[in-house]
Amino acid sequence: MILQPRALGAQVRQWKCRNESLATLRLSTRSYSTQYATASYGSVFAKQALCTSTRPVTRLQPIAASSATLEQDAAEADSSAEYLENFLGWLVANGVRGIGQEDSKIALFEAEGGERGLVCEEAIAAGDVVLEVPLRLALTDHPGDEESNQLLYEGAPWSVRLACKLLRHKAMGAASPWSAYVRVLPTQVPAPLETFGWEDISGLRYPAAEEALHAADWLRADAAEAAGEQATGGLGVEEFNWALSVVHSRTFANAAPGGGVGVRMLVPLIDMMNHSGDEAQLASPAGEAAQQGHEGHDAVGLGGPVVAKDNVRWDLLPPGRSGTGGWAMAVSATRPLAPGQELMLSYGERSNDDFFIHYGFVPRANPHDDAVLWPDLEAALEWHYSRFGAQRLSEAEAEPLYSAALTAGLAEQEAEIRQRLTAAASAAGNKGQQEQEQQPVALPEQADPLDSLPEEVLRQLRQIKVLSRGRVTEAVMRAFAAVSGEPAAAAAAAAAERAVAVRCAELLQAMARPPATTTGVPADGGDGSEAAAAAHAPDQQRALLPAGGLLVDLALLLADAQPRLLQASAAEASGASASGAGAGTAAAAAAAEEAGLQGDAAYWAAQLRGCCRALLPRYAALLPVEATAAVSAAAAAAATSSASPPSSSSAPAGPAPGGLKSRYKRPPPSTASAAADAASPDSAGGAGASSAGGPAGGLPLAPLLRALVLGPGAAVLTAGGGCSGMLPLTGPQRLSAAFRAYKQMVLWDAVLGCGLSGEELAALL
């Protein structure tokens, strides 16, 4: 990322940034401080008073604590340089080290779109501590918090307790010691609970996420009703929802003595750092050939090698190691940082569901993503019997076999969950002591990790999932093998893999169908009035989006990231009917547009080509007819384009921009071979192949987008080359498409590794 600084004020700098993602901060599961974990809550947070007479704080003028005034203040704070300057002054006055001073190597930035973060101003070496924030600045919650215990109902979740504490400080206005921090919090977290409508949720076409969103909405409504006015500072439901979304997207946590989570914290400034974590690579460094994934098949989606993209970590420092005089949260570099480089922190190794629901973004190529196959093991075995067992066993014969498999599987699954939770708590509790050659903390023998987990968390832990690279919950594989009827272990394991692949194919087919609730709206709104048509415009846009599985979703994301590709596609399509200079100029323009792709557009283009390469023609039987026809149409367009002789007026004198000619070192394929190559497993080039003809077998993007996005039932190109009512995507549409695309990549990875062809799987559906 290239960042260009410009002065904002005496203490705060504003930076222009091309990164348009809105991201906030939560627990990074890879960084802990065990000394802090084993300390008592009272010794760490006994003194919460800020800004004593010897350390005054810069404050704004007092304001009334009415709801209307607070809402107006919050809206202004998001873009106000005054509030940011005040916030930075508040940090420095309260002992924050590493920012806002002459020798500081990092600075706070705010992008034109409102995104904030931290950026390197001077070279930083790996291992350097660049920032320390005293923990007395943190808003915290822990089981011993007397204030929350008195004000809130028994059993209130930590998120509700911390959100209500934040609301009480917001209601205090400038009288709160944390007013400078509260005023720079985002006015809205772009999470689905805040930004999605009913149609957006239905348009996800992924039942697990839809159920999670509805459940979270009900839980939020119940919590808002149960929390009294005293706990919320007298603020209403909208403010409560805001505070809960802030808490869910910005909270750090540490391990408690004996396991589990101890203290949860909102830590000013550090919670402004943006996320970058592990990322699965699709292409080789040269970008000309796809990497090979597991079991030798092409690495599509999330199957490539994993590279860590974060460059800083956080730790909790005790008073003896902190430069702030007490407990502090420290941020240190994990690799050298150059001036202009943004400080990126991993929010943790977790699936996209958590990022999607609570943060409102989806990380690029997250290798820790998964897809829910069944809600639990019992549902998985019921599905297996209906699909396979009923063909050879009566219900009376199947009941003892399936009951035994369920009993054994549940015991194995719970043991696995306990082991994972205990190992995670032990690792967090032992990390600091092991580094200092002290004895590890022993967990109480009677402690059961499952006892302290909320029911919703247990429900998620018991889901049967497929992970990237085709990995599946071990308990269901053993259960399926046990009821397969195969006497040999190898044959039983193969039967279990086939069953999982069939389930993945079922879900892929369901995600390729449009949602049942989506209905078209007449262009005039139904009553002939333009006003009604304008009121229904969002519904029209949703209805116009095509549904066709992974290839269509990737095409939509690419067209949204680089609309000029569709404009080039329109020009190429109209130029194809012309002759001479018109056709050659249109083809050259399309090739130049493809060669210049960067950022998200280049990534989605690589994914689209890679998926076409991996899925066609072997799995054409599992793809929607429209998507397969679209790729065939693109191949035919490529064949026609490559067969047309370029005109002398449009032929470049030297290599094309981007070095396309020298890069591929071969002429475009002939008319006869283009269509065949485009439908072969080796078509689509690798990630990065981009020219009108491309390498042998290369599939150009312009006709591919035109066929996938502008197929039957979709919008048509306007005179200017844009999509009427379809593009650009709305925020919820863009987020849903990316989320759904990654889920389909996970499912396809399991299908690709099962060893069955598309026709064989289709016969089992």
Side-chain angles (χ1 to χ4, degrees):
M1 180 181 301
I2 300 175
L3 302 166
Q4 298 176 345
R6 63 186 177 97
L8 175 65
Q11 293 178 312
V12 180
R13 291 196 175 194
Q14 185 174 13
W15 297 73
K16 290 183 178 179
C17 176
R18 287 201 296 266
N19 182 4
E20 296 178 357
S21 64
L22 296 173
T24 46
L25 185 59
R26 200 179 177 187
L27 166 67
S28 170
T29 58
R30 294 190 285 187
S31 301
Y32 304 92
S33 169
T34 306
Q35 289 189 353
Y36 176 73
T38 57
S40 65
Y41 303 125
S43 65
V44 177
F45 294 104
K47 297 182 179 180
Q48 283 287 349
L50 305 181
C51 310
T52 64
S53 57
T54 60
R55 187 172 283 176
V57 66
T58 304
R59 287 186 177 170
L60 302 176
Q61 295 298 319
I63 60 172
S66 68
S67 178
T69 304
L70 289 171
E71 289 178 357
Q72 182 179 1
D73 263 355
E76 295 173 352
D78 190 50
S79 58
S80 170
E82 179 186 4
Y83 288 165
L84 283 174
E85 290 180 8
N86 186 74
F87 173 62
L88 189 57
W90 178 78
L91 294 171
V92 174
N94 280 284
V96 173
R97 297 166 58 91
I99 195 169
Q101 300 168 338
E102 291 296 329
D103 59 348
S104 299
K105 294 185 176 181
I106 63 172
L108 173 66
F109 75 82
E110 182 179 40
E112 290 182 345
E115 180 192 9
R116 295 166 180 169
L118 299 180
V119 68
C120 174
E121 285 196 293
E122 298 182 15
I124 298 173
D128 284 357
V129 176
V130 297
L131 181 67
E132 287 189 25
V133 176
L135 285 186
R136 62 193 181 87
L137 291 182
L139 289 175
T140 64
D141 178 72
H142 55 82
D145 190 321
E146 295 182 2
E147 181 184 14
S148 294
N149 291 340
Q150 292 175 1
L151 294 177
L152 280 160
Y153 56 93
E154 184 178 358
W158 69 266
S159 55
V160 173
R161 292 160 58 97
L162 191 52
C164 287
K165 180 175 288 189
L166 175 60
L167 284 176
R168 294 194 294 273
H169 284 286
K170 183 176 182 182
M172 291 172 64
S176 168
W178 279 270
S179 62
Y181 169 59
V182 173
R183 292 176 187 232
V184 298
L185 289 171
T187 57
Q188 184 185 60
V189 177
L193 284 177
E194 300 297 318
T195 60
F196 273 38
W198 181 268
E199 296 86 353
D200 298 311
I201 296 177
S202 301
L204 278 172
R205 305 198 292 276
Y206 180 64
E210 295 175 31
E211 293 169 7
L213 285 173
H214 289 307
D217 193 30
W218 279 106
L219 291 173
R220 184 176 67 169
D222 290 344
E225 184 177 357
E229 289 188 4
Q230 190 175 6
T232 63
L235 300 182
V237 174
E238 288 188 7
E239 288 92 344
F240 178 85
N241 292 342
W242 165 82
L244 203 59
S245 66
V246 167
V247 164
H248 275 141
S249 61
R250 304 179 82 87
T251 300
F252 293 87
N254 80 298
V261 177
V263 181
R264 274 133 173 144
M265 304 165 276
L266 290 173
V267 185
L269 185 63
I270 298 181
D271 66 359
M272 288 184 173
M273 283 195 290
N274 293 313
H275 168 78
S276 187
D278 293 342
E279 185 175 313
Q281 304 298 293
L282 177 66
S284 64
E288 296 182 6
Q291 292 282 359
Q292 292 297 307
H294 65 287
E295 299 183 6
H297 67 264
D298 286 336
V300 56
L302 308 178
V306 176
V307 176
K309 297 290 188 177
D310 49 313
N311 53 31
V312 296
R313 58 173 286 164
W314 67 267
D315 292 280
L316 296 174
L317 303 181
R321 295 175 54 195
S322 166
T324 64
W327 284 91
M329 179 174 286
V331 175
S332 57
T334 58
R335 64 186 69 186
L337 298 175
Q341 200 171 352
E342 185 177 357
L343 277 63
M344 306 297 287
L345 182 70
S346 172
Y347 295 0
E349 298 174 357
R350 60 188 73 184
S351 75
N352 283 348
D353 300 67
D354 197 21
F355 291 104
F356 172 76
I357 292 174
H358 295 303
Y359 297 83
F361 74 95
V362 177
R364 176 184 291 183
N366 177 15
H368 309 291
D369 197 17
D370 55 42
V372 176
L373 300 180
W374 298 278
D376 51 41
L377 185 59
E378 183 176 4
L381 284 170
E382 289 177 353
W383 174 89
H384 188 278
Y385 177 74
S386 66
R387 273 290 187 181
F388 301 101
Q391 300 175 8
R392 57 185 180 84
L393 298 172
S394 66
E395 290 187 8
E397 294 172 325
E399 183 176 357
L401 179 64
Y402 278 80
S403 295
L406 177 61
T407 301
L410 289 175
E412 180 181 353
Q413 188 179 32
E414 293 217 349
E416 180 186 352
I417 294 173
R418 284 191 176 91
Q419 183 179 7
R420 283 161 43 199
L421 294 174
T422 303
S426 178
N430 292 337
K431 182 180 177 184
Q433 278 87 357
Q434 290 172 351
E435 291 177 350
Q436 299 181 26
E437 299 182 355
Q438 297 179 11
Q439 293 297 319
V441 177
L443 294 175
E445 292 184 2
Q446 70 274 15
D448 187 343
L450 297 183
D451 292 341
S452 60
L453 294 179
E455 187 60 34
E456 175 63 17
V457 176
L458 284 173
R459 183 189 69 82
Q460 294 178 18
L461 288 174
R462 288 167 178 156
Q463 289 175 331
I464 306 300
K465 302 178 179 180
V466 57
L467 312 179
S468 61
R469 297 177 180 268
R471 297 165 293 164
V472 184
T473 307
E474 189 64 28
V476 77
M477 297 300 291
R478 288 202 173 95
F480 280 4
V483 299
S484 66
E486 298 287 351
E497 290 184 4
R498 288 195 299 272
V500 169
V502 169
R503 178 56 176 170
C504 291
E506 281 184 350
L507 293 176
L508 285 167
Q509 289 187 337
M511 295 174 78
R513 292 191 291 266
T517 57
T518 300
T519 57
V521 179
D524 61 357
D527 60 3
S529 67
E530 293 184 3
H536 286 291
D539 295 323
Q540 283 182 299
Q541 189 171 14
R542 292 188 190 98
L544 286 169
L545 287 181
L550 178 58
L551 298 183
V552 172
D553 284 331
L554 291 174
L556 280 171
L557 290 165
L558 173 56
D560 179 66
Q562 182 52 276
R564 288 197 300 270
L565 273 177
L566 276 179
Q567 297 174 8
S569 172
E572 188 177 9
S574 58
S577 60
S579 60
T585 301
E593 198 64 53
E594 294 181 24
L597 294 178
Q598 295 180 355
D600 287 342
Y603 175 74
W604 294 125
Q607 286 284 14
L608 180 57
R609 281 196 172 105
C611 289
C612 286
R613 173 191 178 105
L615 303 183
L616 294 170
R618 188 181 180 196
Y619 293 98
L622 297 180
L623 295 172
V625 175
E626 295 82 357
T628 307
V631 178
S632 299
T640 303
S641 175
S642 62
S644 301
S647 67
S648 58
S649 60
S650 62
L660 293 178
K661 183 176 180 180
S662 60
R663 177 177 180 178
Y664 296 118
K665 297 185 176 65
R666 62 179 70 183
S670 65
T671 306
S673 63
D677 287 342
S680 71
D682 294 328
S683 67
S690 55
S691 72
L699 191 59
L701 292 174
L704 182 59
L705 285 188
R706 185 172 65 249
L708 286 170
V709 177
L710 306 175
V716 297
L717 287 174
T718 64
C723 290
S724 175
M726 187 193 304
L727 297 175
L729 300 178
T730 65
Q733 288 172 340
R734 186 179 301 111
L735 179 60
S736 295
F739 177 77
R740 187 171 56 248
Y742 285 125
K743 294 300 178 185
Q744 292 174 95
M745 291 179 194
V746 172
L747 294 168
W748 271 116
D749 208 18
V751 172
L752 289 170
C754 75
L756 296 177
S757 68
E759 289 76 10
E760 291 171 321
L761 278 173
L764 295 174
L765 292 176

